[in-house]
Amino acid sequence: MAQAQSFFHEDEILGKAYDARLVRRLWRYVRPYRLLFLGSLGLALATVGADLIGPFITQLAIDRYIAPVHTTLSQVARANGIFGMALLYLLALCLGFSLRYLQNFMLNVLGQRVMYDLRSQMFEHLQALSLAFFDHNPVGRLMTRITNDVDALNDFFTSGAVSLLGDTFTLAGIVIILLVDDWRLALVVFVVIPPLLGVTAFFQRAMRENFRAIRVRLARINANIAENIAGTQVVQLFNRERRNFGAFDVLNRDYRAQSLRSLFYFALFSPIVSLLAAAATALVVWYGGSRYLTVPIGSLLSLGVLVAFLQYLDRFFLPVRDLADKYTILQAAMASSERIFRVLDEPIVVADQPEPEPLGTVRGEVEFRDVWFAYNPGEWVLKGISFHIRPGESVAFVGATGAGKTSLISLISRFYDVQRGEVLVDGKNVKRLVQAELRAHVGAVLQDPFIFSGTIASNIRLHEQRITDGQIRRAARFVNAEHFIEQLPTTYDEEVRERGAGLSVGQKQLLAFARAIAFNPEILLILDEATSSVDTETEALIQDALEKLMRGRTSIIIAHRLSTIRNVDRIIVLHKGRIVEDGTHEALLARNGYYKRLYELQYAESLSKGA
């Protein structure tokens, strides 16, 4: 099995302001809503037209009615004409407002639908990935992929892509209008374009480096905060508050320094663009005003054209001023899409076969045939493991830490696939079975049972509607969980916080037993470590529940304390990934081998603790 790809350094992905490969992949998510996209694009073009018609109306109003060179119109006619132009200008403004509103609404609808599809696909894909993937990738970073990075793409769709196209159309339209109105005056305006391009190129390079630095430092801060919150108890116990704050303060200062540097670039770029815009305005006023005053009456340059030039000039530099924000949005979107697609491209290693074998009625027979297994290539955890468990038999696996005991549970449930050999349930290779069908017949009681936020009943039922309220109550009564549930204010409807906060270890364990009974699996996998951290009374309840759980079903116990497994049918001893002994408790003690040494060590340890 290949080692799962780790994304530990993925936050250092910088991302280009535009990556055609990523945009093509993003288009696949837009394609189902292409009518919305094309509609918003059409509205963007119409909005540009409505915005650009205003200066033209001003030009007409000045040249025809305010300062005409030649006119036979009366004063009343000129006043009516000015009023009509003003009304037309107001209508253009209202049209632009309406079009912009519709465009923004359609873009946000498009963004939300694309984000919904992306989140759904990512969640579904994450659920299908094997545990090997999660062994090598922090959960916090995966959460960031499905939340922050998806939100960055939403900004891209609602504020970046179409808006940038609209700005491009605006710039192109203004350039064309200026050339048509007076090409000589337009050339004077274009004098400022080379320095503007130089400033923009410098800003893009600087912001690209700064963007990367900020993201890396923000990731470090988030990781440090998460680690300190998770380890609060240890931090306080060892008086590490001041030292940990010092380490955080270093990261925080570094992040602040990079953020201030970013503000410097933003603060510098906008005034420079404004200065160039002012320079262009001054050139228009100087050259255009000189031509208007010196050339003969009736020349091509009228007062209306000069005023329209000044208005178009202001509109020309407006999208350039917004370039800083749009560049950051585009670069963040490209970096986020790169990280999202890395997750979506992660191959599903443990997958159902195209034509799986039906499991049928399950008897509970489990067999390992010469199984070799490694989490990482070449680092064998299990080496040639072979054993056979009959239906209804209870078997305990014991051995030192790292012997490979817990890996057996993962292989029976097919959370991982073996590299060599076969794992069989009722004589059928688990690789040829549907995972969901296999796991429907396998129950697990782990040493740290996971409790979801919700009610007591929902944690036993796990939203399986076929399990009735009566079955939930019978399961709780059967495993001795009823006595503490009935003491809760709302009993089975009592709200449980995330990870079972407020419940004791023993109570969470009993809930896990009730869950296993409610689903009634034919094969039961148990880790006995949880009983070592509960009080004597609760341990007695758990041991009684264990005996009830194991009755009549195949039971596999991963045993850490040998005193809990005396009554199982067989004990299999693992050492360094191999089976070294197999037999009953008494037979293994009489053999005077590895099991007896383990038993004597634990017995001596319990005596020393008792003393």
Side-chain angles (χ1 to χ4, degrees):
M1 179 188 298
Q3 182 175 346
Q5 173 68 36
S6 175
F7 299 140
F8 186 76
H9 298 293
E10 67 179 347
D11 278 326
E12 301 201 20
I13 294 173
L14 177 55
K16 304 174 183 177
Y18 177 80
D19 190 321
R21 176 182 57 87
L22 294 176
V23 171
R24 284 194 297 270
R25 291 197 64 175
L26 288 173
W27 174 250
R28 299 174 192 172
Y29 296 91
V30 178
R31 188 179 296 134
Y33 314 108
R34 54 185 175 273
L35 291 180
L36 273 175
F37 178 79
L38 295 175
S40 60
L41 189 60
L43 287 172
L45 287 170
T47 303
V48 170
D51 289 341
L52 295 184
I53 201 174
F56 180 70
I57 295 173
T58 302
Q59 175 185 333
L60 292 178
I62 292 175
D63 288 343
R64 288 185 180 181
Y65 304 111
I66 297 176
V69 177
H70 302 289
T71 182
T72 56
L73 297 174
S74 65
Q75 195 73 15
V76 174
R78 292 174 66 182
N80 291 336
I82 292 172
F83 176 78
M85 288 296 174
L87 186 61
L88 189 61
Y89 192 91
L90 181 63
L91 289 174
L93 290 177
C94 292
L95 177 63
F97 169 81
S98 302
L99 292 173
R100 190 169 286 107
Y101 167 78
L102 288 173
Q103 178 201 359
N104 289 334
F105 179 79
M106 292 178 69
L107 278 177
N108 278 279
V109 171
L110 171 67
Q112 290 302 318
R113 290 184 177 179
V114 171
M115 296 312 102
Y116 173 83
D117 292 344
L118 258 177
R119 286 194 186 99
S120 299
Q121 184 179 357
M122 287 187 69
F123 188 81
E124 184 179 20
H125 187 71
L126 285 171
Q127 285 188 312
L129 293 174
S130 68
L131 291 186
F133 173 81
F134 299 97
D135 290 341
H136 296 87
N137 293 280
V139 174
R141 291 179 185 266
L142 295 176
M143 290 286 294
T144 303
R145 299 295 82 81
I146 207 168
T147 53
N148 295 12
D149 285 325
V150 172
D151 286 339
L153 288 183
N154 186 43
D155 292 338
F156 169 69
F157 284 111
T158 57
S159 306
V162 175
S163 298
L164 189 61
L165 289 173
D167 290 343
T168 303
F169 295 147
T170 299
L171 293 173
I174 290 175
V175 168
I176 293 172
I177 291 173
L178 294 182
L179 289 171
V180 169
D181 269 357
D182 192 289
W183 64 269
R184 287 168 293 186
L185 191 57
L187 292 179
V188 171
V189 173
F190 296 160
V191 169
V192 302
I193 290 183
L196 179 63
L197 294 175
V199 169
T200 303
F202 168 78
F203 170 78
Q204 288 180 344
R205 287 194 300 269
M207 282 303 300
R208 178 179 172 83
E209 296 173 2
N210 187 248
F211 177 80
R212 176 184 183 276
I214 287 177
R215 290 199 70 90
V216 170
R217 282 153 180 79
L218 182 60
R220 291 172 185 170
I221 284 180
N222 289 339
N224 184 272
I225 292 174
E227 187 177 62
N228 275 275
I229 291 176
T232 297
Q233 185 176 2
V234 176
V235 171
Q236 294 180 358
L237 183 64
F238 288 91
N239 296 317
R240 295 283 303 179
E241 292 92 339
R242 293 184 64 84
R243 289 180 178 272
N244 286 21
F245 176 79
F248 173 79
D249 192 52
V250 171
L251 297 176
N252 201 19
R253 287 175 183 273
D254 193 20
Y255 177 71
R256 181 184 64 181
Q258 289 298 330
S259 298
L260 289 175
R261 186 178 179 186
S262 174
L263 291 175
F264 167 77
Y265 289 128
F266 274 97
L268 184 64
F269 180 75
S270 184
I272 290 178
V273 173
S274 297
L275 180 63
L276 291 173
T281 302
L283 288 172
V284 168
V285 171
W286 167 71
Y287 180 74
S290 300
R291 282 185 56 198
Y292 178 74
L293 293 175
T294 58
V295 297
I297 299 297
S299 69
L300 293 177
L301 184 63
S302 65
L303 181 61
V305 171
L306 185 60
V307 173
F309 251 79
L310 293 174
Q311 290 185 331
Y312 280 125
L313 199 59
D314 182 65
R315 284 167 167 77
F316 180 83
F317 283 93
L318 185 61
V320 177
R321 292 189 188 99
D322 294 338
L323 178 65
D325 290 332
K326 288 186 172 60
Y327 183 81
T328 302
I329 289 172
L330 291 176
Q331 188 165 259
M334 293 300 102
S336 295
S337 60
E338 181 81 15
R339 287 189 292 270
I340 287 173
F341 290 137
R342 275 198 178 190
V343 175
L344 292 176
D345 291 341
E346 180 67 22
I348 299 175
V349 179
V350 180
D352 293 334
Q353 293 189 355
E355 297 182 3
E357 184 177 354
L359 183 56
T361 303
V362 177
R363 297 178 292 109
E365 181 184 17
V366 177
E367 184 178 0
F368 276 47
R369 291 180 184 172
D370 192 29
V371 168
W372 290 72
F373 173 71
Y375 294 101
N376 300 315
E379 301 175 9
W380 296 109
V381 177
L382 300 178
K383 307 169 186 177
I385 296 293
S386 297
F387 61 82
H388 179 260
I389 301 175
R390 297 184 300 274
E393 188 177 16
S394 59
V395 177
F397 287 86
V398 302
T401 301
K405 304 184 298 298
T406 308
S407 300
L408 299 174
I409 285 182
S410 298
L411 295 179
I412 294 172
S413 304
R414 209 196 163 199
F415 292 135
Y416 303 88
D417 278 337
V418 300
Q419 284 80 11
R420 303 181 201 168
E422 293 181 305
V423 178
L424 302 103
V425 171
D426 286 354
K428 299 175 182 177
N429 192 326
V430 295
K431 287 186 178 181
R432 294 196 290 269
L433 302 175
V434 177
Q435 295 175 66
E437 187 178 359
L438 169 66
R439 292 167 189 166
H441 299 278
V442 177
V445 180
L446 306 178
Q447 62 190 47
D448 184 19
F450 194 92
I451 305 299
F452 296 89
S453 56
T455 64
I456 293 289
S458 68
N459 266 284
I460 297 175
R461 179 189 283 121
L462 292 181
H463 304 290
E464 178 58 62
Q465 297 305 316
R466 65 180 176 83
I467 299 177
T468 65
D469 291 341
Q471 288 174 307
I472 290 175
R473 294 178 183 275
R474 285 193 295 272
R477 188 181 310 118
F478 186 77
V479 299
N480 306 317
E482 186 182 47
H483 77 285
F484 87 84
I485 296 177
E486 294 292 346
Q487 294 175 7
L488 298 173
T490 54
T491 62
Y492 290 88
D493 293 325
E494 183 74 10
E495 289 290 331
V496 182
R497 287 173 288 173
E498 185 180 359
R499 299 190 68 88
L503 296 177
S504 69
V505 174
Q507 289 171 337
K508 288 191 285 186
Q509 194 72 27
L510 291 173
L511 280 181
F513 290 153
R515 181 187 296 166
I517 282 294
F519 280 83
N520 194 28
E522 288 80 4
I523 301 172
L524 185 64
L525 311 174
I526 303 169
L527 279 84
D528 76 341
E529 184 66 15
T531 60
S532 63
S533 57
V534 299
D535 58 82
T536 305
E537 181 181 355
T538 305
E539 181 177 359
L541 293 174
I542 290 176
Q543 290 297 339
D544 182 64
L546 273 173
E547 292 179 10
K548 292 177 179 177
L549 276 171
M550 293 165 58
R551 199 174 299 151
R553 54 172 52 87
T554 304
S555 303
I556 299 173
I557 305 174
I558 305 303
H560 297 82
R561 295 185 302 149
L562 306 185
S563 59
T564 64
I565 57 169
R566 293 182 178 180
N567 298 322
V568 298
D569 297 323
R570 285 165 57 203
I571 297 173
I572 297 177
V573 185
L574 293 176
H575 181 60
K576 294 184 178 180
R578 298 183 184 275
I579 295 177
V580 293
E581 291 179 320
D582 185 350
T584 63
H585 173 70
E586 291 77 11
L588 292 177
L589 286 180
R591 192 175 297 175
N592 199 24
Y594 187 77
Y595 177 79
K596 184 177 182 181
R597 290 197 298 274
L598 285 176
Y599 186 79
E600 288 175 345
L601 284 172
Q602 288 197 10
Y603 184 71
E605 183 181 352
S606 63
L607 286 179
S608 63
K609 288 181 179 179

